[in-house]
Amino acid sequence: MFQLTGKTAVVTGAGSGIGRGVALLFAKAGAQVIVADLNREAGQQTVEEITAAGGKAEGLFIDVSRQAEVVNAFKQLDVIDVLVNSAGVSHIGRADTTSEEDFDRIYRVNVKGVYNTLFAVIPSMKERKNGVIVNMASIASSVGLPDRFAYSMSKGAVLAMTLSVAKDYISDGIRCNCVSPARVHTPFVDGFLAKNYPGKEQEMFDKLSRTQPIGRMAKPEEVAALILYLCSDEASFITGCDYPIDGGFIKLNN
Ligand code: ADP
């Protein structure tokens, strides 16, 4: 397995879903994991799970949309070798059914949240001439998805920020990539089905699974495995890339 021994990795959104999967896998790979999440309880659970398994983790309870909060929190950490941006919010709606309030909320967390962590982490990575960043984009940044207007806007911005950072700091020893999953089976999916299709959760779950060419959703740990590789020294030649992990969604959905 790829190793992160001796590295400190900040994982935002590590209380749930993909971020949690990344935190658990990074700890197994030997990293000291900083579990950054707005949800204190969820973050704490991830920390406890890691420490119970003999790994190293600590919680950092921040709202990524608040720059001063992120900058101050990151300053408390000695070194950040790896940053994974997985905090995010989802939204269902089209251009004419998305309220200004929802648009702003998605922008604040998914776009400004990523900018804030980059703003906070890049100076020290530059100084040490070493750092790896992986951002969570989505297939929504390169294909049209139904009813995902604000979400697609935000993930398109994540892809563009990834390329910009990769270019600007390539000679500072910083690598920056993003990954673009199709549907991932996370608590968000279960909550969405329970809320919108009570009593029909399994039926809808199967229907959603069939929209993926591979016939199922991704597991968070499958996305985490790709991210671990990208953050490892074995991926030292990879920067400025967007990796689909989509069960064939982009190329085989015809
Ligand atoms: P995903 O499928 O993207 O992993 P989840 O909803 O399962 O989605 O997880 C997203 C995580 O991001 C949650 O733990 C949530 O608390 C966290 N999060 C959401 N907004 C913020 C924020 N503003 N600051 C920090 N963490 C956040």
Side-chain angles (χ1 to χ4, degrees), residues 194-215:
K195 186 171 162 221
N196 294 287
Y197 303 97
K200 286 189 162 180
E201 290 98 329
Q202 190 58 47
E203 191 185 317
M204 290 310 292
F205 183 86
D206 293 342
K207 201 171 157 190
L208 282 180
S209 299
R210 284 195 299 273
T211 63
Q212 313 296 302
I214 209 165

Side-chain angles (χ1 to χ4, degrees), residues 11-21 36-40 42-43 46 60-66 69-70 85-90 105 108-110 113 136-137 151 155 181 184-189 220:
V11 182
T12 74
S16 175
I18 300 167
R20 176 175 167 275
D37 206 292
L38 178 65
N39 183 331
R40 184 176 285 266
T46 304
L60 192 68
F61 303 106
I62 50 166
D63 180 344
V64 294
S65 70
R66 296 172 185 272
E69 206 172 303
V70 177
N85 271 310
S86 189
V89 282
S90 200
R105 182 173 57 87
R108 268 199 316 277
V109 181
N110 293 8
M136 197 59 58
Y151 183 75
K155 294 304 181 181
V184 182
H185 185 195
T186 63
F188 173 80
V189 173

Side-chain angles (χ1 to χ4, degrees), residues 31-86:
Q32 149 90 6
V33 184
I34 310 299
V35 173
D37 206 292
L38 178 65
N39 183 331
R40 184 176 285 266
E41 208 176 308
Q44 201 48 45
Q45 255 175 36
T46 304
V47 170
E48 279 164 24
E49 221 171 305
I50 290 172
T51 34
K56 286 178 277 180
E58 67 186 76
L60 192 68
F61 303 106
I62 50 166
D63 180 344
V64 294
S65 70
R66 296 172 185 272
Q67 187 168 104
E69 206 172 303
V70 177
V71 169
N72 288 335
F74 281 21
K75 265 196 199 133
Q76 313 301 317
L77 304 167
D78 284 342
V79 170
I80 301 175
D81 300 289
V82 177
L83 167 68
V84 176
N85 271 310
S86 189

Side-chain angles (χ1 to χ4, degrees), residues 4 24 26 38 77 93 125 161 188 224-225:
L4 295 175
L24 298 178
F26 275 21
L38 178 65
L77 304 167
M125 284 184 169
M161 286 190 284
F188 173 80

